Amino acid sequence: MTTTHLIRQKNPPAILSLGFRPFFLLGSIYAAVLIALWVPWFLGLISVPSAFPPTAWHAHELLFGFVPAIVAGFLLTAVPNWTGRAPVRGLSLGALVLLWLTGRIALALSAHLDPLLTAALCVSFPLALAAVIGREIVAAKNWRNLKIVGALIGLAGADALFHYEVFEFGRLKHAQTLAVAVALLLVMTIAGRIIPFFTTNWLKQNRPGALPQLFGRYDMAAMLLSGAALLGWACLPVLESLTAQARPIVGSAMIAAAAAHFYRQSRWTPLRTFAEPLLAILHVAYVFVGLGFLLSGLGVLNDNFEFASAGLHAWTTGAIGTMIIAVMTRVSRGHSGRKLTAPVSTVVLYATALIATCARIGAALHPELTSILLPVSGAAWILAFGGFAALYGPMLMKQRL
């Protein structure tokens, strides 16, 4: 038995016993704090000592701060089940948490730091996470999940590009769309496995009848189509310089991907799950994957900024944000020994997350209402993720029942 394995066997504090505990807690707190800062900053009411302008800081910290924290919590909890190996815990887990925190502090104070140092501190976390997850997968020869490592490396690359574009050009060109595409592919991959699996288990116990179709050839075809559409979307400015047909081709591919995801979801029998909100919210969140493709596709076809922005926020606030709170509540309840059912307080979290999503999409489609809908969306987002930290924080810091 190796020294590392022996260290892992020791009993660390509850908060460092599994990856979901520190990362879900800190990630949810950070999600609430960054929106609480960004909305008044965006409206010109406060200033922040960051070298990034408010819109770029907001995008960066959602895509490279908040999202990787939750992804880390999920993967560090799920990978031991995939591989049969001991989980990363204790000092090793604490080091990853510290690395994530360092990146957040560096970006917040980046006006006083060297740009290269800021970039290095931010990019180091997804690379370290990829190395840890990759080590576990390779050691267990769990080759089919190596694509997760590739996605993490892609996220790190998008983060590096983000820093380069901000400091070289003063604005974003490709990094934000690339990061959204990678994050969305992660959501589609993970959700495509856990939603039908969780739905099947619940239906067998509670609603005998038709069961979801598990991951198969159709899902693979939908993922390939989506990947191609997202690649075209992320590279649209380059493609437009090469051919006048770029917009019709990419826009049509995105609308086709929307149809593919709506049909994909219909194969998971979503309407049979609404008696249990803990399960139903996963299906509701996935609706925004298809909706984002549809709105973004219309935006590309018509060169329409409102539709493009609405599609982007359907993906980020809806598909990613709502899916995150759905997964966090389920994983936290299951791994802390609670019943896999959503109490009223948790349903309120889901409602506020959906309000945040709908208000943000509405603000994109109706810019004249931004001063009303943006604060509504921000307040609802803060209630959703701040509420998660308040409700679930105590169970994350205590041993499993």
Side-chain angles (χ1 to χ4, degrees):
M1 186 176 293
T2 65
T3 302
T4 302
H5 187 72
L6 286 170
I7 291 173
R8 289 186 187 179
Q9 295 305 310
K10 294 181 179 180
N11 292 323
I15 192 68
L16 295 178
S17 61
L18 270 177
F20 78 96
R21 293 178 179 275
F23 280 113
F24 284 6
L25 180 57
L26 292 174
S28 60
I29 292 172
Y30 192 59
V33 169
L34 73 89
I35 297 300
L37 284 174
W38 178 70
V39 172
W41 185 14
F42 178 77
L43 296 175
L45 302 176
I46 65 170
S47 61
V48 175
S50 174
F52 281 39
T55 301
W57 180 84
H58 163 72
H60 184 279
E61 289 305 272
L62 279 176
L63 293 168
F64 303 113
F66 165 58
V67 170
I70 308 305
V71 168
F74 175 81
L75 290 178
L76 292 169
T77 305
V79 165
N81 293 329
W82 301 346
T83 63
R85 288 171 56 80
V88 176
R89 59 176 65 181
L91 293 177
S92 298
L93 178 56
L96 282 174
V97 172
L98 183 60
L99 193 59
W100 177 81
L101 281 170
T102 301
R104 312 289 60 79
I105 294 169
L107 200 77
L109 302 177
S110 55
H112 306 292
L113 297 176
D114 179 77
L116 286 177
L117 175 61
T118 302
L121 291 174
C122 289
V123 173
S124 61
F125 176 72
L127 289 177
L129 181 62
V132 170
I133 298 298
R135 179 195 65 195
E136 299 299 304
I137 288 174
V138 169
K141 298 182 180 179
N142 186 242
W143 307 118
R144 69 174 185 150
N145 285 312
L146 272 178
K147 56 182 175 287
I148 299 293
V149 178
L152 293 173
I153 293 173
L155 203 60
D159 194 358
L161 180 62
F162 199 107
H163 284 265
Y164 172 76
E165 289 180 351
V166 168
F167 288 106
E168 183 69 20
F169 308 111
R171 63 184 179 88
L172 298 174
K173 299 176 71 174
H174 307 294
Q176 179 174 314
T177 51
L178 179 60
V180 171
V182 173
L184 195 61
L185 285 170
L186 273 170
V187 167
M188 293 187 294
T189 300
I190 294 171
R193 294 187 180 275
I194 66 173
I195 293 178
F197 178 73
F198 291 158
T199 302
T200 297
N201 289 345
W202 186 84
L203 289 176
K204 284 181 177 179
Q205 296 178 15
N206 299 279
R207 296 286 176 87
L211 296 176
Q213 297 184 42
L214 301 181
F215 193 93
R217 291 182 178 178
Y218 177 81
D219 301 87
M220 182 59 70
M223 290 293 293
L224 290 173
L225 172 60
S226 302
L230 287 171
L231 180 62
W233 175 69
C235 298
L236 186 59
V238 176
L239 296 176
E240 281 189 295
S241 67
L242 300 175
T243 173
Q245 300 303 311
R247 282 190 175 273
I249 293 171
V250 172
S252 299
M254 296 184 80
I255 291 175
H261 281 286
F262 287 137
Y263 179 66
R264 183 191 194 196
Q265 186 169 13
S266 73
R267 299 163 75 245
W268 298 339
T269 64
L271 298 180
R272 301 190 65 220
T273 67
F274 277 74
E276 178 44 68
L278 193 72
L279 177 60
I281 189 62
L282 292 165
H283 290 273
V284 173
Y286 201 85
V287 169
F288 292 103
V289 173
L291 183 61
F293 272 109
L294 178 61
L295 291 169
S296 297
L298 292 173
V300 170
L301 281 174
N302 300 302
D303 196 10
N304 184 290
F305 177 78
E306 285 79 13
F307 276 123
S309 178
L312 177 66
H313 289 98
W315 279 334
T316 53
T317 313
I320 297 173
T322 307
M323 186 66 73
I324 279 175
I325 205 161
V327 169
M328 285 198 305
T329 50
R330 185 182 182 92
V331 170
S332 297
R333 297 190 71 81
H335 283 275
S336 64
R338 270 74 177 180
K339 290 182 178 180
L340 289 177
T341 187
V344 173
S345 57
T346 297
V347 176
V348 171
L349 299 182
Y350 301 156
T352 52
L354 292 173
I355 290 170
T357 299
C358 294
R360 191 64 189 88
I361 294 172
L365 292 173
H366 300 282
E368 71 278 7
L369 299 177
T370 296
S371 62
I372 298 172
L373 292 177
L374 188 61
V376 168
S377 178
W381 177 279
I382 291 167
L383 287 173
F385 288 95
F388 174 87
L391 290 172
Y392 284 79
M395 72 175 71
L396 295 175
M397 292 187 287
K398 295 178 182 177
Q399 295 291 347
R400 179 185 174 93
L401 291 179

